[in-house]
Every structure is written in C-alpha cells, then in structure tokens.
Amino acid sequence: MAHEQHAELIKALHDCAAACNHCFDACLQEEDVKMMVGCIRLDRECADICSYLEHAITRNSPFVSELAAVCAAICEACGTECQKHDHDHCQKCAEACFKCAEACRSVA
Amino acid sequence: MAHEQHAELIKALHDCAAACNHCFDACLQEEDVKMMVGCIRLDRECADICSYLEHAITRNSPFVSELAAVCAAICEACGTECQKHDHDHCQKCAEACFKCAEACRSVA
Amino acid sequence: MAHEQHAELIKALHDCAAACNHCFDACLQEEDVKMMVGCIRLDRECADICSYLEHAITRNSPFVSELAAVCAAICEACGTECQKHDHDHCQKCAEACFKCAEACRSVA
Amino acid sequence: MAHEQHAELIKALHDCAAACNHCFDACLQEEDVKMMVGCIRLDRECADICSYLEHAITRNSPFVSELAAVCAAICEACGTECQKHDHDHCQKCAEACFKCAEACRSVA
C-alpha cells in the first residue's frame, strides 16, 4: 500500500503542513507583521503543497515523485525564510520544512 | 493553539482522509468496479473535505465549526455507503468515517 | 450537467477566488500590512472555499448545497472585512465576495 | 498582475479542470465502468492539479513554473488515456488536457 510504503514521508508532510499553517497564523498575530510577509506567503505555499502531496500519496497517485520534487523545492524555500526569524513558531517551522524537504527528495 | 486544542479531531480527519483515499484506490482495482461506483465517488468527496478541514484547523480558520458540520454529513454518507461492502478497505473506511463524523459533530 | 446548470455560480466562485487571491497578494505588499491582517487571513479562507466549491460542482458532488451555505458565510465575512479598506484590490474583492455570497445562497 | 499576465493559462486550467471533473462524473455513470478506471483515476489527478495551479497563479505564487511543469505531465497523461475512449466526455476531456498541457509548457 502506497501509504504504508511512504509512512515516513506522510508523517513529515503532515508535520510540515501543520507547522507552516501554525506559523502563518502566528505571523499574522506578530507585532511586527511587516517583517513576516515573506514568511506568511511561503507558509501558505508550503502548507498547501505538503497537504496536496500527502493526499496524493494516500490515493496512490502515479505522480508522487514529480510532485515530491516540487514539494522539496517549496519546503526548502520556506525553511530558508523561516529560519531567519527568531520566533519560536518560525524556528519550529524551519525545522519541519528542512526535514520534509529531505523526505521529499528521497522519493523525488 | 488551535491544533493542540483539536488534536483528536485532527487525528480522526487524517485517518479518515487516508482510509477514504486508500478505499478509492482499492475500489478502482476491484474486479466488480460497477458495484463500487458509489463508494468511489463518496471516497473522493470525503477524503477531500477531511483534508480541507484538517488544513483549516491548523491555520486557525474562523470557520472550523461550520466546516465541521458539513464534514460530519459527508463522513456519515461515505461511511453508510462503505459499510455495505465486504471488502476490508470498505469496512475500515466505514469505521474511520463514523469515528470522524462523531469527532466533527463534537466541534460543529 | 451540473456545470451547465450552475454556470452563473461557477463564474461567481471563479471571480471571487481570483479576487481574494489577488487581494491576499496585494495586501502582503501594502506599506501598512498591520492594518491588513484580517483581510489577509479572510482572503485565504475565502479563496480556498470558493475554489473548493467550484471544483465540487464540476464533479457533480452530492454536497453542493451544504458546501454553498458555508461558502456564503465565508464570502460574507471576507467581503465585510475587505470593504473597510480603501485599496482598490480590497474594494474589488468585497464586490466579488458579496456577489458570490448571493450566488451561493441561491443554491444553499 | 499575475492573473492578467497568465489569462490564457488560467482559462486553459479552468476549462481542463472542469472537463476532467465532468469526465470523472460521467465515467462513473458509464455502463462499462471497468473500462474507464484509468480515466477515472487520471481525471481526478488532472482536475486536482489544474485547480491547484490556477489557484497558485492567482495568488502570485513564486512556484508557478515548477508547478506548471508537473501539471503539463499530468495533463498529457490524462489526455492520452481519455483519447482512447469514444465517449463524448472523454474526447472533450482529451482536447482540454492537451490544450492545457501546451499552455503549461509555455510557462514551465
């Protein structure tokens, strides 16, 4: 089963989507929102593609590896932006993004 | 945090989306596909809304309870269809759907 | 065919999703982002549900009216927030949201 | 504006998503469903990615070209499957898929 074979990737995608969505929400509540606009934009991109790919894996999509390559690039970009910021939600998000990027590359 | 408060619902949504997507894939591979068309259609509906709602919760959407009410109705319909079929993937899917419907109703 | 019967609603959803996504993007580029956080959050909510519902209609989902009721509420909330701001993208977004809310209510 | 610059691609994506979703629905209602399982599966894949990319363009995503490359591949695969079947919905779907694949390649 696709979703058993890819259990680790599914977990990484799930955690990354949740971390990005939480970071999106928390960034919008920060005092200095102006500084977080790159984060807000990339959090949405990254949460959306991780959720999409997780969904695609569980339905046994024939395009998992192509989607994983794009997802890795988006996770990498989001992690790179998030790690610039000291907020706890940004640091946790960056960590989840880099872990997910690596998991994606392993199937891309 | 929204996603800590709703940890149980998130798990139910995640499991239900995966079970529905797996059932969708498995139904398409059944010998007697004709009998599974209701299942195939509802599996897609249910996987999509569960994934959507999970995503909405983690981004702290202000519309979680409205979406959960719709999601409960869709899970209920999908579970009712799936439980008619003896296939293991259908029975497991029905179980995940009913559990998720209940979790959705608790926040709707 | 579902998508012929609902041609007007599909157009309203399509226009609203595009207006909300454009407003999301434009709000993130505004000098005073702080003032736009409500807009940014609701733009994402509204674009996502409009896109979801449009997609659901074209696949002949059995849950169009339930989804349309939720969509109408989200469009209404987004339009109400957007119309408070003078930016051209906010005013256009509010107009698209109210029009879409009305189209949704007609099938809800 | 992203969505003005990409007006033609947005139209192709919109038409392709609608054609694939309609074909998905119609295939599930065909007498000989067994023969349509490849179509049903790819229709869902293709409708989902087209809808995703359309949405990504209108929010000015920085990843439009990477996503368009994957979308082109999925449209191509779906069109190739659909054109094997004589049903009107399959032929129309194939046409929309190939047109969309070409539009995607122009920005990939």
Side-chain angles (χ1 to χ4, degrees), chain A residues 3 14 51 54-59, chain B residues 9-25 42-54 71 75 78 93 96-97 100, chain D residues 44:
Chain A
H3 56 110
H14 180 76
S51 169
E54 187 190 336
H55 207 41
I57 294 169
T58 61
R59 73 178 175 248
Chain B
L9 176 54
I10 287 175
K11 195 184 168 337
L13 290 163
H14 179 76
D15 291 351
C16 188
C20 288
N21 272 329
H22 173 55
C23 190
F24 174 89
D25 175 42
L42 288 168
D43 282 337
R44 183 183 180 188
E45 293 297 321
C46 195
D48 281 9
I49 195 72
C50 287
S51 170
Y52 188 93
L53 177 54
E54 187 190 337
C71 193
C75 288
C78 188
C93 187
C97 286
C100 191
Chain D
R44 183 183 180 188

Side-chain angles (χ1 to χ4, degrees), chain C residues 46 71-81 97-98 101-102 105:
Chain C
C46 195
C71 193
I74 298 178
C75 287
E76 200 65 42
C78 187
T80 302
E81 175 62 31
C97 287
F98 291 135
E102 203 184 310
R105 278 188 296 262

Side-chain angles (χ1 to χ4, degrees), chain C residues 1 14 21 48 54-55 58, chain D residues 14 21-22 48 54-55 58:
Chain C
M1 270 184 269
H14 179 76
N21 273 329
D48 281 8
E54 187 190 337
H55 207 42
T58 61
Chain D
H14 179 76
N21 273 329
H22 173 56
D48 282 7
E54 188 190 336
H55 207 42
T58 61

